[in-house]
Each structure stands twice: as C-alpha cells, then as structure tokens.
Amino acid sequence: MSKILDEINKPEDLKKLSVKNLSKLAREVRTLIIDVVSKNGGHLSSNLGMVDLTLALHYVFDAPHDKIIWDVGHQCYTHKIVTGRKEEFRTLRQFDGLCGFPCREESEYDVYNTGHASTALSAALGMAVARDKKKDNFNVVAVVGDGSLTGGVAWEALNQIGHIRERLIIVLNYNEMSISENVGAMSKYLSYLVSGRYYLRLKDLAKSIIRAIPAVGEPMIKVGRAVEEAIKKTFFPGVVFEELGVRYVGPIQGHSIRSLIDVLEEAKTYNGPILIHCVTQKGRGYRPAENNPEKFHSASPFNIQTGESLDKNQRPTYSSIFGQTVLNIAKKDEKVVAITAAMPDGTGLKSFSHQFPERFFDVGIAEQHAVDFATGLALNGFKPVVAIYSTFLQRAYDQLYHDVCLMDVPIVFALDRAGIVPDDGPTHQGVNDIVYLRHLPNMIVMAPKNENELQHMIKSALSYPHTTAVRFPKGKGQGVPLDKSLEEIPLSKSELLKEGEDLFLALGSMVYPALEAAERLEKEGISLAVVNARFVKPLDEKIILDYAQPGRVVITAEEGVVAGGFGTAVRELLDREKRFDIKFKSIGLPLEIYPWGKVEQIKKKYFLDEEGLFNQIKDFYKKLTIRPK
Ligand SMILES: Cc1ncc(C[n+]2csc(CCOP(=O)(O)OP(=O)(O)O)c2C)c(N)n1
C-alpha cells in the first residue's frame, strides 16, 4: 500500500495534505523514526514527542525562507525527514551518514547548528534583527523545550527580546521533562500554567466573558490570595512572559495538528515577540518510550517489540563506577555533596540522588551556575563533586577561571564523555578539556587508564586541597576488577607499565592502545617504556626528565586536541629544562570539526587506535635523521 510519506519530499508537499492526512503522516513518520533509532540509536523520546508540532510548523511556515531554529537540535528528526532527507534518514548518526543534529553543511533547511542547549532564542533574535535591518520579510521561529528554558542563556535572550520587541515566534515544547524530570521554579511555573487544563480556546472564551463584566475582578481579589491566584491563572495566563514583554499564548494541545496550525497561523500575524506554550508527551506513540522517556532520551539500539537494549555487554560504564564511588565515599563523609546540570542519570548520580536527596543538587541545564554554586558550598566547608560532560563544561569556563581557580577552591570536577564521543557529532566531542583545564591556574588535571583507577582518582581528588578535574571517556570500562579499598594517588605520580629505552607517555584512554602498540614495536627494534601519565597537571617531571637524555625519543599520546594539550605540556617541560637534543612527537587530534560514527571509526580516522599508533611511531622512527643509540 502506498504511503503518504512516499509522496513527501519537501515541506511544500505537506501543504497539499488535509489535516486528517497530516495525522496519518505523523503515524508513518513515527514508525520510520522508531525503526531507524532501534537500529542506529538516537534521541527517541524527544523526537516522537515533536512529530505533530514539526509537521504543523512546516505546514504553516515556508522554510527555508522562514527560519526555524531548533534548540539543542536533538528533536529535529521529523524536520530532517520532511526537508529532503527521508532516504538518507536510514544513515542517521552513522559515519558519513546524516547528522543527528541540525547541520547547515547538510541542508539549507538547517539554518543554525545546535547541540548545546538554550541558544535558539538568542540566535532567533539576531536573525529577526538582521531581517528588519535588511528590510527583509521572513518569519523566525525558535523551538525550545522546557528543559532548555532552565538555561541562563535563554533568559538573557528573553531579557532582550522583551526589551526590543522584535517580531519573532517562540514555540515552547513543554513535556515536563528535561532528560530526567525537569527541575526548578520555572518548570513549576510552566506546570502551574498547564495544570488549569484550560486549553487556549476555553481560556479565550472565559476571558471575553469576564471582560464583559468590568467590575468583577476587583472585589474578587479581596477575597484572598487563593482566589487571586485562580484569577491570574484563568484570565492572565503566562503573566511572567507577558510582563517581560512577550505575548503568551497557551497552553496548546501539542498533538492536535488542527489546533497547532490555527495558533501558528495566528502567531504569524502578531507584530512582536510571541511565545506559544505547547504541551506534548515525550515518547508519544511508542509505549516503552512513553513509559520510560528518560531511558529512551538517547537510546542505544533496541528491540522494537520489547524495548530492550540490544547491547549485551555487561561491563559497567565509567559513569556508573564514578557514581558508585562518590556514593561510597559520601557514606563515610557527610560533607560530600553531588551536583549535576540536568544529567542525573547520564553522569551516574541517580543512586546518589536517591540515597542522599538532601546532598544532591540537579540545577537544570545551568553549567555556569553549577560551578559557582559549588564554589559557595566549598568555601563553607562542603566537598562538592560536580559532574558535567566535558563538552558542556566549556560553557562554564569563565566560572572555572574567575570563581574557582583564582581562589583555588577545592572542588572535584568529573568530566564524563571526555575524548572522542560517538554518534552525536562535533557539538558533543569532549576533546578540548585537556587544553582548557591545563591553562587554569591551580587546577589539577587527571585521567585514569581504566575504571578501577577512576575510583582511586575520585578518592584522591577529594583529598587534594586544590581544584581537581578528572576526565574519563564515555561508555564501558575495561572490565578490570575493582579494588574495595581506595588509595590516595600521590600528586603527579605516574605509573611505569613497561620498561624500554625511549619514553612513551600515554594519557587515560590511550594507555592500553599505547601498551599494545609498544609490544608490537618492540619486534621492530623500537624499545619504548610505556608510562601511564595519570596527571596532565602537575606532570611527573622526574620520570620524564630521567628518560629525556640526549638523543632519546619522547612520545606522548592523548585523546584530545594535540595543540596546547598534554603533549604540549611535556614539550614545554623539555624546553624549560633545555633538553633540546630530544626527538619529540605528540600524538592526538588535529584541531578540526570532527565527524560522528562509532568511536572505533573516528579513532581509526585519526590514527589513535593501536594500529594507528603503531604506524605513526614506526614512521616517526624511520624519518629520524639521527637515530638514538
Ligand atoms: C549546555 C547543555 N547541557 C546539557 C545538555 C544535555 N541535554 C540534551 S537534551 C537535554 C534536555 C533538554 O530538555 P528539553 O529542552 O525540555 O527537550 P526535550 O528533550 O524534553 O524535548 C539535555 C539536558 C545539552 N545539550 N546542552
């Protein structure tokens, strides 16, 4: 049977459909998304929740002339499917396939690249201002979730939007969820607006009735606070937005394509900033995701019938070992508190949050605030562990510098997803942290070779009287046994794993591939001592300088940008100590826009797997003009 989706290639094709057929199309799109995500993995819950809203948006607006900006961008699958990428959709998130996020390089319909939250409102305002300055005439629509509205950047944008009152449309996709349940006062306020269950038409009706009886409001207010609240809720919904200068419309049933089209058509005619509060359900149309939207927020491949993950690898993840370690330490030390910026599950802190709810803080998508909040706690005797993915901590760089490191505040930063991150692409790569952390005064920077060492590093970090960052990769550990009793690692102490003549200093995830490559190189006549560096800062200067004798070779390897990173730190040491006779090579990533795909594919591309290390080093020795004795 031919499907409606077969006939849809561009948004113009949607405009020929009846609302009934748009609803049928929504079902077909959901089936395609479930099928592809079950094989490739991806952001299932958010996308299933956005299907109807996206179809309505493309029905009403004329993209790419009209600009639609997706905040975070993880919810853009329907948008991709109806904007000429239906066939490629099967390659979603695969190496050389379609990007899982909006990508200007991929399509003219993607007008703004996203991945990190809360940026769409600012970008939309910039586009709206540019439009008016150029006397152009297109609509600008920012689509933002309630989770992303917990981010400070969004409020900085709203502050200016309400001030200059440019014509622009904000579609608030409200589903009560960030990745986990949404948090914070704003989230409560939005749910309060929805809790009246007066959807738009009913409310407008009530409003016009009350307007006809002018004296009614005043006496009622005197009856008391509760009545006042009820009046506000019924007659002045969205008062916070209205007072900021943004017209509020809602709540709208976000799965009723008819209502969405009506409201969006209306919004198009409004000459100022307008926010449409749509209520959607995460995971809509797929029962396992409806029942557990958090699990399917970013799903690995799964069985469609059962919803069970196809990943049978039972090894614990770095995140879970990290979470368990903090929990165990917190049981013995009541000063330990844990902080996450909207990732309680991803960072492995869920058990901690259950066991110590009063010592656990989910601050929302607010990395900058998380860092300063931790500073306040630490300066008053607590021991905060702040768990933020490497890529997202970039947002709080000034807080790290200005608030934490200048005062040398003892806080532990756990940087999950450090290094190459699969599937999500350039916005999520955790490859800059070595560089940016190393350049902070007072900061200690560590990386474990495996999940057992991670435990010891967390324990150590909590005992150092300085700011300390521990970076570790996404995914499963090495499957090594876990020590029960944890030791403090002496500051800067590295670990010699293999004897040899020249020095191969590997950091974190590069240690095992370095060992394997060194074993192979031994057979080629290249003798390398392999050292697990453990510390980027302070470096184990003694072991480096012991090996760095005239004519010898020093090689470093890191899973991060090589310019300014760990290798650079070693090079700086050699220069400082005037070891000019050393042959030096640093291995890592070039500074460029990285692809998405499996970690192994990306590592292979950049020669960071065992084979790549072997070849790079062999080649290096071949080209040495003066060979070591
Ligand atoms: C700065 C930043 N911090 C954290 C994240 C991780 N993250 C991705 S989606 C998401 C939740 C977004 O919630 P919402 O905007 O409500 O969208 P929904 O998934 O509910 O549709 C989070 C925390 C991010 N993308 N950017």
Side-chain angles (χ1 to χ4, degrees), residues 503-521:
L503 176 61
F504 190 4
L505 203 57
L507 183 71
S509 59
M510 296 307 292
V511 170
Y512 286 108
L515 261 177
E516 287 165 21
E519 299 294 352
R520 267 179 79 190
L521 286 160

Side-chain angles (χ1 to χ4, degrees), residues 388-622:
I388 296 182
Y389 292 3
S390 164
T391 188
F392 300 138
L393 191 60
Q394 288 171 185
R395 184 162 280 188
Y397 194 65
D398 187 55
Q399 282 71 18
L400 287 173
Y401 178 78
H402 171 273
D403 301 80
V404 180
C405 289
L406 288 186
M407 292 189 273
D408 197 9
V409 185
I411 298 173
V412 176
F413 289 96
L415 279 77
D416 200 328
R417 273 69 165 168
I420 292 167
V421 170
D423 313 321
D424 285 336
T427 53
H428 285 63
Q429 294 296 350
V431 295
N432 298 308
D433 57 42
I434 302 172
V435 181
Y436 73 69
L437 293 170
R438 179 175 103 69
H439 287 84
L440 291 165
N442 292 314
M443 176 68 93
I444 296 168
V445 187
M446 292 193 269
K449 69 174 188 293
N450 60 31
E451 64 275 30
N452 186 43
E453 194 167 61
L454 171 63
Q455 302 186 94
H456 294 279
M457 284 192 177
I458 297 298
K459 160 89 178 164
S460 309
L462 275 162
S463 60
Y464 301 145
H466 302 285
T467 316
T468 306
V470 185
R471 76 175 314 249
F472 50 91
K474 178 174 182 173
K476 312 277 177 181
Q478 309 290 328
V480 296
L482 297 170
D483 296 336
K484 288 274 172 300
S485 115
L486 301 184
E487 304 287 331
E488 186 181 322
I489 302 171
L491 206 56
S492 87
K493 188 86 190 96
S494 65
E495 181 191 29
L496 177 65
L497 296 173
K498 175 188 169 300
E499 304 274 358
E501 288 170 12
D502 291 335
L503 176 61
F504 190 4
L505 203 57
L507 183 71
S509 59
M510 296 307 292
V511 170
Y512 286 108
L515 261 177
E516 287 165 21
E519 299 294 352
R520 267 179 79 190
L521 286 160
E522 199 76 46
K523 293 178 195 122
E524 307 278 329
I526 297 170
S527 168
L528 292 170
V530 178
V531 170
N532 167 19
R534 286 183 178 150
F535 289 82
V536 175
K537 198 174 156 208
L539 283 175
D540 190 341
E541 298 193 357
K542 181 167 182 329
I543 200 163
I544 298 170
L545 296 174
D546 281 353
Y547 274 95
Q549 300 304 321
R552 298 251 63 101
V553 170
V554 174
I555 300 169
T556 61
E558 63 202 290
E559 197 179 317
V561 171
V562 81
F566 169 65
T568 309
V570 176
R571 171 93 257 181
E572 286 163 2
L573 169 70
L574 297 174
D575 284 351
R576 193 192 74 201
E577 295 299 316
K578 304 196 173 41
R579 303 294 173 97
F580 303 130
D581 296 333
I582 293 300
K583 308 288 170 201
F584 179 79
K585 178 170 178 60
S586 56
I587 296 174
L589 288 163
L591 186 57
E592 62 180 47
I593 311 287
Y594 309 101
W596 47 92
K598 300 276 154 279
V599 169
E600 306 79 62
Q601 292 170 313
I602 303 173
K603 280 195 177 167
K604 193 173 162 57
K605 176 178 162 72
Y606 293 106
F607 311 106
L608 291 185
D609 54 358
E610 183 264 318
E611 180 73 18
L613 293 182
F614 173 82
N615 288 329
Q616 286 199 68
I617 295 172
K618 204 175 143 189
D619 193 46
F620 176 72
Y621 273 85
K622 215 187 278 173

Side-chain angles (χ1 to χ4, degrees), residues 46 72 74 115-117 144-148 173 175 177-179 282 297 341-343 365 367 392 395 428:
S46 314
V72 184
H74 62 314
H116 290 201
V144 60
D146 54 322
S148 299
N173 174 35
N175 54 27
M177 300 285 291
S178 193
I179 290 179
K282 245 179 149 163
H297 177 85
M343 323 285 280
I365 306 179
E367 289 80 6
F392 300 138
R395 184 162 280 188
H428 285 63

